[in-house]
Each structure stands twice: as structure tokens, then as C-alpha cells.
Amino acid sequence: MTDTAKLILGDQTIELPVIVGTEGEKAIDITNLRAKTGYITYDPGFGNTGSCKSAITFIDGEKGILRYRGVPIEQFVEHPNFIEVAWLLIFGRFPKKEELERFSALLTEYAPLHEAMKHHFEGFPVDAPPMAILSAMINTLSCFEPQFSKFEDDEAFEQAAAKLISKVRTIAAYSYRRSRGLPFMYPDPKRRYCSNFLHMMFSMPYSDYEVPAEIEDALNLVLILHADHEQNCSTSTVRMVGSSRANLFASCAAGVCALWGPLHGGANVAVIEMLEAMHKGGLTPEQCLKMAKDKDSGFRLMGFGHRVYKNFDPRARILKEQCDKVLATLGVKDPLLDIARKLEELALQDPYFVERKLYPNVDFYSGIIMRALKIPLNMFTVMFAIGRLPGWIAQWKEQHDDPTNRIARPRQIYTGPTKRDYVPMDQR
Ligand code: CMC
């Protein structure tokens, strides 16, 4: 097997080591390229660049495989437990019963927000985007938890992770209550993670929101399917910020901002807006595909395509099945599901999408489940963030524990003016 690559530059031949991952993917190690040759590599969008070694998540985009710490995500479908998966991702092994219980107890203990933090919500306009509130409030958390700017040991890290995972859920629910002018509901220590979230979203001081077991399972599964996805835009952002030794909270707040964009986590909102436009009769599925294929339209088929998957996104497969299950449990008939199915069928037969290997991604069906759970549209990307948080924490920790970590600092090819002189104002 090749363990070096040869690069010929003029009359110079450089040998570059080849790194092989545990699943056989190969990378040419260019760490010393510039020092040896003066050249850098050019890879806009980092489509060919491995930014780190990671033992957390494996994706084979050609085969449509996604595994967390080696476990295929399909194996989480039957007994979905988001907190167990979060622990697995962060600490790299399955928690023992007592470890999971201890972590769950920490989540319960940390669920309430500092009362002073509650007042921060009043400073936001009622129509403030919940993603803006989420990012701002995660940063605010670091002011209330200054002891976590450095970690003495794994126990302190576990506490910080539990605080973040637990309080993010409270922040998310409060941002929704604020937007509706509803009273904040305190977390209920008797409830588990997902049920407690739905309680803080939908209970009223005079009536408790009951959560059927199937719905709790469905929400656990939605969060699990979003929990990590190796070096995607928001996770790379978390690592980029963390590489400067910024604290965990600040790094995750930055991750929320990256996730917000419509080409990333914001796509789940864009998908529903697109399906709603079709439902209202403004657009047929055929017209929608035509527009998506027209490069001048500036429109893309939302929920389709992926940088890594050139096959079905395994998360989309699971979510599509779950849509039927959740809607049946709740007795909901959502016309958007029929439109989504039709759109998928047409796209998968269309040469434009077939040639480019564009398949439904995680965002294509997730919104239909969230609608059925009565999660409002402007909270969809927040749900993605709650799900992705364990992945961000795991990736931040992996980088933090890596003694070879260096500050992330890409280079560029400068294309601006060459040296010229300053022109005084009166001579311009
Ligand atoms: N609709 C129409 N054309 C598309 C689409 C789409 N959704 N996605 C990719 N293409 C075309 C693109 O125009 C290009 O065509 P050509 O080769 O003729 O120039 C080709 O397919 C390759 O696309 P790309 O832009 O080079 O692909 P990328 O890896 O840079 O982008 C993507 C990946 C996910 C940003 C993109 O597929 C997209 O914009 N999809 C819609 C938004 C979306 O659903 N995002 C959620 C992604 S999954 C969850 C997450 O990461 O948050």
C-alpha cells in the first residue's frame, strides 16, 4: 500500500506522507508543504481538505453510511435516547447505567436558568429570531459560569457539558414563550429531557402538557439524527473558534450562528416555506424543479443535495418513515407530506438531480415531523441546534484534549493590487 505521495514541482520531487483512517479513507499530509516548497494548497469550501483527525463520527457519503462512535445510526431507531447518544458522542463509549443516571441527574439539576438570565429575554424584541437569542444566551451563560473557562478534569467537563445541554433546552423554550408573550414555564424535574422541553414549550401555569410516549420517542430520534455530522460548517466553526482556546460556551454560540444559514441548518425552515408555497398554489412541484435547475433563478431545491452524501442521506430515510408514524400517532394529515413525496419522486427521476447525485437530506422531512409536534417554524433551526450540541461539545473536547492542536489559521492567494502609494485626499 502507498504510504507516501510524490509531488513534482519543476525539478523538485517532494514526498508527502499518506494518512489512512480506520475505515480506509486516505489523506495526503501536507503539513510541511509550504516549509519545503513555498507552495500552499487551494481548496475553496474545503471540499478536499481534512482539517483534523477525529474518532467521533464516520460518514461514507458514496454508500450513505453514518455512524456515531462506530454505531450505525439505524441502531438508535428502536429505543431512541438522545441523552445516551450525547454521552456516547462526548465520552466515546456507552455509558454504564449509573453513569447515565448521574448525567441525567445533572441535567435535571441544571435545567433552571439563573433568575438574572431570565431578564435578558425581556431585552429582545418579541419578533427576534430565536437563533439570535440562542446564540446570545449561550454566550451569556459563560458569564454565569466563569469556572468553566478552563477544565481541571473530566468531571468538570462533564458538568459543563450537562449545563450546556440542559440549559440550551430551557433557553430555546423560553425564547419561544417570549415570542408569544407567554409566561415562562419552569422545568419539571420529574420529566425526562424531551418531555421536559415540550412541557416548557407548551404547558400553561393552569394545565400540564401531556406527552405521549411515541412523541417523546420521535423527538428523541429527531435530536439523535442531528447529533453529529463530522466537520460540517457549524462544527468546523466550533473547532475554529475553540482552536484559539476560546471557551466551550463561546465556541458553541458561534456554532449556532453558522448553523443559522439556509444552506446549513436553516434549510429545514426553507423546505417548509417551499412546500407551503406549493400548497398555497403559487408553485407546482414541476415549476419548483424547473426553477431549481435554472442557475439564474438563485433558487435551489431546499432539503436536497449534500457536500458529502452522493447517495441517500441515511437520516432522511429514517425521517421519511418516521413522518408516517408520527402523523398516524397524532392523527394529523399534513398535505405538505404528500407534496414532499411527489417532489422527491420527480427529482429522483430528473436527469439534472440524477447526474449531480442530489438526494433528499436530513432537512427534507424533519420539518414535517416538527410541524406535527406543533413546533413553530421559526424554532426549527433551534431544534437542529439542540440536537447538534452534543456533537459540538464532543468535537470541541476532542480538539481541546489533542496536544497537537494549533490555532486554525488558513492561508490565501492574494489577488488585490500590488504595491502602490497612498494618495492624499486632495489628489484623488
Ligand atoms: N438544488 C439545485 N441544484 C443543486 C442543489 C439543490 N438543492 N444542490 C446542489 N445543486 C447543484 C449545484 O448547482 C451544482 O451544479 P453545477 O455542477 O451545475 O454547478 C451541483 O449541484 C453541485 O453543487 P454544489 O453547490 O457544488 O454542492 P455543495 O457541496 O457546495 O453544496 C449544499 C451542498 C447542501 C449546500 C447544496 O446541495 C444546497 O444548497 N442544498 C440546498 C440547501 C440544503 O438543503 N441544505 C441542507 C444541507 S444538509 C444539512 C445541513 O448541513 O445543515
Side-chain angles (χ1 to χ4, degrees), residues 368-379:
I368 293 175
I369 298 186
M370 290 195 268
R371 264 163 71 90
L373 302 182
K374 301 264 183 292
I375 309 273
L377 189 58
N378 69 352
M379 287 291 288

mmCIF file with all atom_site columns, all heavy atoms in Angstrom, residues 368-379:
data_model
loop_
_atom_site.group_PDB
_atom_site.id
_atom_site.type_symbol
_atom_site.label_atom_id
_atom_site.label_alt_id
_atom_site.label_comp_id
_atom_site.label_asym_id
_atom_site.label_entity_id
_atom_site.label_seq_id
_atom_site.pdbx_PDB_ins_code
_atom_site.Cartn_x
_atom_site.Cartn_y
_atom_site.Cartn_z
_atom_site.occupancy
_atom_site.B_iso_or_equiv
_atom_site.pdbx_formal_charge
_atom_site.auth_seq_id
_atom_site.auth_comp_id
_atom_site.auth_asym_id
_atom_site.auth_atom_id
_atom_site.pdbx_PDB_model_num
ATOM 1  N N   . ILE A 1 368 ? -41.541 18.266 8.671  1.00 0.00 ? 368 ILE A N   1
ATOM 2  C CA  . ILE A 1 368 ? -42.926 17.765 8.699  1.00 0.00 ? 368 ILE A CA  1
ATOM 3  C C   . ILE A 1 368 ? -43.206 17.130 10.060 1.00 0.00 ? 368 ILE A C   1
ATOM 4  O O   . ILE A 1 368 ? -44.289 17.289 10.628 1.00 0.00 ? 368 ILE A O   1
ATOM 5  C CB  . ILE A 1 368 ? -43.161 16.803 7.521  1.00 0.00 ? 368 ILE A CB  1
ATOM 6  C CG1 . ILE A 1 368 ? -43.088 17.651 6.238  1.00 0.00 ? 368 ILE A CG1 1
ATOM 7  C CG2 . ILE A 1 368 ? -44.488 16.067 7.642  1.00 0.00 ? 368 ILE A CG2 1
ATOM 8  C CD1 . ILE A 1 368 ? -43.176 16.922 4.959  1.00 0.00 ? 368 ILE A CD1 1
ATOM 9  N N   . ILE A 1 369 ? -42.189 16.463 10.612 1.00 0.00 ? 369 ILE A N   1
ATOM 10 C CA  . ILE A 1 369 ? -42.360 15.890 11.962 1.00 0.00 ? 369 ILE A CA  1
ATOM 11 C C   . ILE A 1 369 ? -42.491 17.032 12.975 1.00 0.00 ? 369 ILE A C   1
ATOM 12 O O   . ILE A 1 369 ? -43.370 17.012 13.837 1.00 0.00 ? 369 ILE A O   1
ATOM 13 C CB  . ILE A 1 369 ? -41.156 14.986 12.325 1.00 0.00 ? 369 ILE A CB  1
ATOM 14 C CG1 . ILE A 1 369 ? -41.094 13.828 11.347 1.00 0.00 ? 369 ILE A CG1 1
ATOM 15 C CG2 . ILE A 1 369 ? -41.270 14.508 13.780 1.00 0.00 ? 369 ILE A CG2 1
ATOM 16 C CD1 . ILE A 1 369 ? -40.063 12.784 11.644 1.00 0.00 ? 369 ILE A CD1 1
ATOM 17 N N   . MET A 1 370 ? -41.641 18.042 12.852 1.00 0.00 ? 370 MET A N   1
ATOM 18 C CA  . MET A 1 370 ? -41.696 19.131 13.845 1.00 0.00 ? 370 MET A CA  1
ATOM 19 C C   . MET A 1 370 ? -43.016 19.886 13.771 1.00 0.00 ? 370 MET A C   1
ATOM 20 O O   . MET A 1 370 ? -43.566 20.293 14.787 1.00 0.00 ? 370 MET A O   1
ATOM 21 C CB  . MET A 1 370 ? -40.491 20.049 13.667 1.00 0.00 ? 370 MET A CB  1
ATOM 22 C CG  . MET A 1 370 ? -39.209 19.337 14.108 1.00 0.00 ? 370 MET A CG  1
ATOM 23 S SD  . MET A 1 370 ? -37.847 20.437 14.341 1.00 0.00 ? 370 MET A SD  1
ATOM 24 C CE  . MET A 1 370 ? -37.067 20.436 12.760 1.00 0.00 ? 370 MET A CE  1
ATOM 25 N N   . ARG A 1 371 ? -43.535 20.054 12.555 1.00 0.00 ? 371 ARG A N   1
ATOM 26 C CA  . ARG A 1 371 ? -44.864 20.691 12.424 1.00 0.00 ? 371 ARG A CA  1
ATOM 27 C C   . ARG A 1 371 ? -45.918 19.877 13.164 1.00 0.00 ? 371 ARG A C   1
ATOM 28 O O   . ARG A 1 371 ? -46.769 20.427 13.862 1.00 0.00 ? 371 ARG A O   1
ATOM 29 C CB  . ARG A 1 371 ? -45.277 20.720 10.945 1.00 0.00 ? 371 ARG A CB  1
ATOM 30 C CG  . ARG A 1 371 ? -44.996 21.973 10.219 1.00 0.00 ? 371 ARG A CG  1
ATOM 31 C CD  . ARG A 1 371 ? -45.068 21.711 8.736  1.00 0.00 ? 371 ARG A CD  1
ATOM 32 N NE  . ARG A 1 371 ? -46.415 21.475 8.220  1.00 0.00 ? 371 ARG A NE  1
ATOM 33 C CZ  . ARG A 1 371 ? -47.223 22.432 7.772  1.00 0.00 ? 371 ARG A CZ  1
ATOM 34 N NH1 . ARG A 1 371 ? -46.841 23.686 7.798  1.00 0.00 ? 371 ARG A NH1 1
ATOM 35 N NH2 . ARG A 1 371 ? -48.407 22.132 7.279  1.00 0.00 ? 371 ARG A NH2 1
ATOM 36 N N   . ALA A 1 372 ? -45.822 18.541 13.003 1.00 0.00 ? 372 ALA A N   1
ATOM 37 C CA  . ALA A 1 372 ? -46.813 17.680 13.659 1.00 0.00 ? 372 ALA A CA  1
ATOM 38 C C   . ALA A 1 372 ? -46.699 17.809 15.183 1.00 0.00 ? 372 ALA A C   1
ATOM 39 O O   . ALA A 1 372 ? -47.693 17.684 15.900 1.00 0.00 ? 372 ALA A O   1
ATOM 40 C CB  . ALA A 1 372 ? -46.617 16.229 13.230 1.00 0.00 ? 372 ALA A CB  1
ATOM 41 N N   . LEU A 1 373 ? -45.488 18.068 15.683 1.00 0.00 ? 373 LEU A N   1
ATOM 42 C CA  . LEU A 1 373 ? -45.306 18.243 17.132 1.00 0.00 ? 373 LEU A CA  1
ATOM 43 C C   . LEU A 1 373 ? -45.671 19.653 17.581 1.00 0.00 ? 373 LEU A C   1
ATOM 44 O O   . LEU A 1 373 ? -45.490 20.010 18.733 1.00 0.00 ? 373 LEU A O   1
ATOM 45 C CB  . LEU A 1 373 ? -43.845 17.956 17.523 1.00 0.00 ? 373 LEU A CB  1
ATOM 46 C CG  . LEU A 1 373 ? -43.274 16.578 17.196 1.00 0.00 ? 373 LEU A CG  1
ATOM 47 C CD1 . LEU A 1 373 ? -41.835 16.449 17.700 1.00 0.00 ? 373 LEU A CD1 1
ATOM 48 C CD2 . LEU A 1 373 ? -44.114 15.473 17.804 1.00 0.00 ? 373 LEU A CD2 1
ATOM 49 N N   . LYS A 1 374 ? -46.148 20.476 16.654 1.00 0.00 ? 374 LYS A N   1
ATOM 50 C CA  . LYS A 1 374 ? -46.575 21.870 16.898 1.00 0.00 ? 374 LYS A CA  1
ATOM 51 C C   . LYS A 1 374 ? -45.394 22.801 17.197 1.00 0.00 ? 374 LYS A C   1
ATOM 52 O O   . LYS A 1 374 ? -45.558 23.859 17.794 1.00 0.00 ? 374 LYS A O   1
ATOM 53 C CB  . LYS A 1 374 ? -47.596 21.966 18.052 1.00 0.00 ? 374 LYS A CB  1
ATOM 54 C CG  . LYS A 1 374 ? -48.858 21.163 17.830 1.00 0.00 ? 374 LYS A CG  1
ATOM 55 C CD  . LYS A 1 374 ? -49.956 22.058 17.263 1.00 0.00 ? 374 LYS A CD  1
ATOM 56 C CE  . LYS A 1 374 ? -51.293 21.363 17.083 1.00 0.00 ? 374 LYS A CE  1
ATOM 57 N NZ  . LYS A 1 374 ? -51.326 20.339 16.053 1.00 0.00 ? 374 LYS A NZ  1
ATOM 58 N N   . ILE A 1 375 ? -44.203 22.368 16.792 1.00 0.00 ? 375 ILE A N   1
ATOM 59 C CA  . ILE A 1 375 ? -43.046 23.253 16.942 1.00 0.00 ? 375 ILE A CA  1
ATOM 60 C C   . ILE A 1 375 ? -43.189 24.330 15.864 1.00 0.00 ? 375 ILE A C   1
ATOM 61 O O   . ILE A 1 375 ? -43.345 24.005 14.687 1.00 0.00 ? 375 ILE A O   1
ATOM 62 C CB  . ILE A 1 375 ? -41.717 22.486 16.700 1.00 0.00 ? 375 ILE A CB  1
ATOM 63 C CG1 . ILE A 1 375 ? -41.640 21.214 17.531 1.00 0.00 ? 375 ILE A CG1 1
ATOM 64 C CG2 . ILE A 1 375 ? -40.503 23.391 16.845 1.00 0.00 ? 375 ILE A CG2 1
ATOM 65 C CD1 . ILE A 1 375 ? -41.122 21.295 18.886 1.00 0.00 ? 375 ILE A CD1 1
ATOM 66 N N   . PRO A 1 376 ? -43.160 25.626 16.245 1.00 0.00 ? 376 PRO A N   1
ATOM 67 C CA  . PRO A 1 376 ? -43.345 26.650 15.226 1.00 0.00 ? 376 PRO A CA  1
ATOM 68 C C   . PRO A 1 376 ? -42.145 26.747 14.275 1.00 0.00 ? 376 PRO A C   1
ATOM 69 O O   . PRO A 1 376 ? -41.011 26.419 14.657 1.00 0.00 ? 376 PRO A O   1
ATOM 70 C CB  . PRO A 1 376 ? -43.496 27.940 16.035 1.00 0.00 ? 376 PRO A CB  1
ATOM 71 C CG  . PRO A 1 376 ? -42.959 27.646 17.372 1.00 0.00 ? 376 PRO A CG  1
ATOM 72 C CD  . PRO A 1 376 ? -43.009 26.170 17.591 1.00 0.00 ? 376 PRO A CD  1
ATOM 73 N N   . LEU A 1 377 ? -42.418 27.205 13.078 1.00 0.00 ? 377 LEU A N   1
ATOM 74 C CA  . LEU A 1 377 ? -41.410 27.223 12.019 1.00 0.00 ? 377 LEU A CA  1
ATOM 75 C C   . LEU A 1 377 ? -40.116 27.939 12.435 1.00 0.00 ? 377 LEU A C   1
ATOM 76 O O   . LEU A 1 377 ? -39.020 27.459 12.158 1.00 0.00 ? 377 LEU A O   1
ATOM 77 C CB  . LEU A 1 377 ? -42.022 27.916 10.787 1.00 0.00 ? 377 LEU A CB  1
ATOM 78 C CG  . LEU A 1 377 ? -41.226 27.862 9.502  1.00 0.00 ? 377 LEU A CG  1
ATOM 79 C CD1 . LEU A 1 377 ? -40.950 26.438 9.062  1.00 0.00 ? 377 LEU A CD1 1
ATOM 80 C CD2 . LEU A 1 377 ? -41.935 28.629 8.383  1.00 0.00 ? 377 LEU A CD2 1
ATOM 81 N N   . ASN A 1 378 ? -40.255 29.074 13.131 1.00 0.00 ? 378 ASN A N   1
ATOM 82 C CA  . ASN A 1 378 ? -39.028 29.810 13.454 1.00 0.00 ? 378 ASN A CA  1
ATOM 83 C C   . ASN A 1 378 ? -38.190 29.123 14.539 1.00 0.00 ? 378 ASN A C   1
ATOM 84 O O   . ASN A 1 378 ? -37.107 29.578 14.868 1.00 0.00 ? 378 ASN A O   1
ATOM 85 C CB  . ASN A 1 378 ? -39.327 31.273 13.819 1.00 0.00 ? 378 ASN A CB  1
ATOM 86 C CG  . ASN A 1 378 ? -40.056 31.417 15.131 1.00 0.00 ? 378 ASN A CG  1
ATOM 87 O OD1 . ASN A 1 378 ? -40.480 30.439 15.737 1.00 0.00 ? 378 ASN A OD1 1
ATOM 88 N ND2 . ASN A 1 378 ? -40.222 32.657 15.579 1.00 0.00 ? 378 ASN A ND2 1
ATOM 89 N N   . MET A 1 379 ? -38.704 27.998 15.053 1.00 0.00 ? 379 MET A N   1
ATOM 90 C CA  . MET A 1 379 ? -37.933 27.228 16.049 1.00 0.00 ? 379 MET A CA  1
ATOM 91 C C   . MET A 1 379 ? -37.239 26.012 15.424 1.00 0.00 ? 379 MET A C   1
ATOM 92 O O   . MET A 1 379 ? -36.502 25.295 16.111 1.00 0.00 ? 379 MET A O   1
ATOM 93 C CB  . MET A 1 379 ? -38.867 26.739 17.161 1.00 0.00 ? 379 MET A CB  1
ATOM 94 C CG  . MET A 1 379 ? -39.332 27.804 18.112 1.00 0.00 ? 379 MET A CG  1
ATOM 95 S SD  . MET A 1 379 ? -38.005 28.417 19.151 1.00 0.00 ? 379 MET A SD  1
ATOM 96 C CE  . MET A 1 379 ? -37.768 27.005 20.232 1.00 0.00 ? 379 MET A CE  1
#
